[in-house]
Each structure stands twice: as structure tokens, then as C-alpha cells.
Amino acid sequence: MSATRNSTDALLDSFDAGEDMSEYFDFDHPEFPNREVKRGNVDFPAWMVAALDNEAARIGVNRQAVIKMWVSERLDDEQAKRAAMQSASA
């Protein structure tokens, strides 16, 4: 067994035992992978903005959150379709 595996086992055992794990985290400088923000402008017709605002009010979030959520869901669906097509052709 490697030293890394032993260290990992010890860390997992400490966690499982309910020990304080805060010494292993840097709370002053947290890192959030895949969170870099890039701005993009999109023009929507008025009826679409109204529909987005209605949906946002219905679920209790802002318009931007609805757009992000729906775009993310669509991208996930498209990625899953591509993966399924690739595995079917393999």
C-alpha cells in the first residue's frame, strides 16, 4: 500500500469517527472549480421576458436564475444524447 493510500485511509477514518476536519480546509481562500464567470448578452422578445419573469416569480428566483437553470439542463441533455449516440455506435 502506498503512503498516499495510507494517508487517505487515515483521513477517512478520522472523518468517519466524527473528528474535526477543519484543519484540512482553507476557509480564508476557498476555491470553486468551474465557477469562472463570462458575460454574454442575449436579446429576447418581450413575450419571452414576460414568460421568464412569470416562471421566476412562480419558483421564487430571479430571471437570470431561470435562464441559467434551463440552459444548464439543456446542455446536460444534449451531452447525454451525444454520449448515448457514441456508445450506441461503438
Side-chain angles (χ1 to χ4, degrees):
M1 224 183 258
S2 70
T4 302
R5 182 65 184 146
N6 289 335
S7 297
T8 302
D9 286 342
L11 189 62
L12 290 172
D13 290 342
S14 296
F15 177 80
D16 290 340
E19 295 178 18
D20 181 12
M21 305 301 291
S22 61
E23 69 181 276
Y24 299 102
F25 298 95
D26 183 358
F27 294 107
D28 294 328
H29 304 95
E31 293 182 20
F32 301 97
N34 298 320
R35 293 277 183 115
E36 179 186 353
V37 174
K38 294 251 182 186
R39 294 212 177 265
N41 295 323
V42 180
D43 294 326
F44 295 109
W47 69 266
M48 197 176 290
V49 172
L52 288 166
D53 289 343
N54 287 339
E55 180 64 11
R58 186 183 73 77
I59 63 175
V61 298
N62 62 32
R63 181 190 310 151
Q64 183 177 6
V66 172
I67 294 168
K68 285 180 178 181
M69 181 176 55
W70 285 355
V71 169
S72 177
E73 288 172 357
R74 179 59 185 256
L75 291 171
D76 288 346
D77 289 348
E78 291 299 318
Q79 184 177 9
K81 278 192 229 175
R82 282 192 303 276
M85 286 174 53
Q86 287 177 350
S87 66
S89 65

